Amino acid sequence: MLQRLVYASHASATGSEDVAAILDWSRRVNPDLGVTGVLCLLDGVYMQCLEGEAQMIDLLFASIRVDRRHRDVTPLQRRAVPRRMFESWSMALLGWNDTTRDIFRSFSPGRKLDLYANDPTTAAPMLRALVRAPGWKLALD
């Protein structure tokens, strides 16, 4: 059964080395596991969406929970889905900019930019809106 898991975690470091390592590992390992997804780094907080078979999602999420690059790992949404949202992306990266801030605010009017304070039911719809935004990096520049 195809599953989608969206979670948030605080980045342990502010530098881009952790992000580069996460993306490199994801791009090497995820295709063999049948996992696709996206990673957003938004003011020191990761929001990641993983899509794949339930067993593979469980395996990856267990490793993320103990990964030193993540703190306060919090699932936002998990559910069975009929199809992938990120079918051709083993992992892509997006950061905050004026467009992504506006998208966030459209789902959380009047709130500060805090993924942990966001309504978890808006996680997947917000990701769908973010995917249409420019600025995704399929490779680190």
Side-chain angles (χ1 to χ4, degrees):
M1 176 180 291
L2 189 60
Q3 296 274 307
R4 179 175 300 132
L5 169 68
V6 181
Y7 75 89
S9 69
H10 286 99
S12 294
T14 57
S16 63
E17 287 182 20
D18 280 351
V19 174
I22 290 169
L23 289 173
D24 179 61
W25 187 89
S26 297
R27 290 172 180 157
R28 282 185 292 109
V29 174
N30 287 359
D32 291 339
L33 298 177
V35 173
T36 57
V38 296
L39 176 67
C40 303
L41 179 57
L42 310 169
D43 288 347
V45 176
Y46 295 118
M47 180 172 66
Q48 187 168 35
C49 176
L50 301 170
E51 300 172 320
E53 295 299 320
Q55 184 178 6
M56 293 299 110
I57 297 300
D58 290 341
L59 181 69
L60 282 175
F61 194 54
S63 71
I64 290 165
R65 285 183 178 271
V66 297
D67 189 320
R68 64 165 182 76
R69 298 170 293 199
H70 299 269
R71 292 181 293 109
D72 306 320
V73 178
T74 304
L76 300 176
Q77 184 180 73
R78 181 171 182 163
R79 64 186 202 111
V81 293
R83 64 186 176 283
R84 294 174 190 263
M85 198 177 345
F86 310 105
E87 190 168 346
S88 62
W89 293 357
S90 60
M91 196 55 59
L93 174 69
L94 180 69
W96 280 130
N97 59 36
D98 290 340
T99 301
T100 55
R101 284 182 184 91
D102 290 345
I103 291 168
F104 179 90
R105 287 188 179 107
S106 73
F107 285 91
S108 300
R111 292 199 172 182
K112 64 180 185 166
L113 299 175
D114 181 355
L115 291 169
Y116 285 91
N118 199 36
D119 177 355
T121 64
T122 66
M126 182 170 53
L127 275 170
R128 276 191 291 279
L130 287 168
V131 165
R132 293 188 295 270
W136 285 98
K137 293 182 181 182
L138 297 178
L140 281 180
D141 298 332

